[in-house]
Structures are given as structure tokens and as C-alpha cells.
Amino acid sequence: MFYIIYLEHDTFLSKKKKNLKQIHASRVKFLQKEGRLIIYGYMPAVDSNDPGMSGFTGLTIIAEFYSLDDVQLWVEEDPYINDCNKLIIKPFKIIF
């Protein structure tokens, strides 16, 4: 089943956790390598593909996991995602 992982954080947190992004990125790339990643992206703090100093306020992942427990465990083991202001995990059914 597919799941949406949606998280929000303030831009300061994003800059503070820069060193954790490499670990996080390798975990997401592993999902991609396994063919389980549908979409991954950051949310700019301003209406621009390059937010500059404004930074990013969160990210969204849509990926395939075996169960809700499996995706929750994956999130708990990710040091970048684990410390965010708001985290939502929802099942997702692809129609198109």
C-alpha cells in the first residue's frame, strides 16, 4: 500500500538539521532504488522553486510500504523526520 508522509518544520529547524539530511537522503534513495518511491519533495517557504534565505518548511513523501506499522517504523528511524513540528502519515490510493 502507498502512504503519504507529510511533515512541517520551521526554516530554522531545517538549517539546524542540515547534517541529518545526508542520512535522510540515503534512506529515501534506498526507497527509490527498491522502486517504492513515487514522489519526494520539499515545500518552499515562499512561492518560488528557489526560496533562497527563506528556506523550506517541510517535505512530502509518497512511497510504498507493507503496512502502517512499517511506515511508522521507517519514520521513527529517520533522524531528520523524527524531530519535526507536525507529522502526518496517511494511506494513499493511486487512481491515475
Side-chain angles (χ1 to χ4, degrees), residues 1-5 61-63 65 67-68 71 89-92:
M1 172 143 214
F2 293 98
Y3 293 87
I4 294 176
I5 302 168
I61 300 170
I62 300 177
F65 290 89
S67 67
L68 182 57
V71 69
I89 300 170
K90 294 273 189 176
F92 182 75

Side-chain angles (χ1 to χ4, degrees), residues 15-50:
K15 293 171 188 170
K16 178 179 144 189
K17 293 171 42 163
K18 211 172 200 173
N19 59 335
L20 300 176
K21 283 185 180 181
Q22 192 171 26
I23 297 166
H24 168 73
S26 68
R27 298 181 85 243
V28 173
K29 286 178 185 175
F30 185 75
L31 289 175
Q32 184 180 33
K33 182 180 175 184
E34 290 187 328
R36 296 169 43 199
L37 182 67
I38 301 301
I39 195 162
Y40 173 79
Y42 287 97
M43 288 161 310
V46 294
D47 188 16
S48 171
N49 281 328
D50 182 7

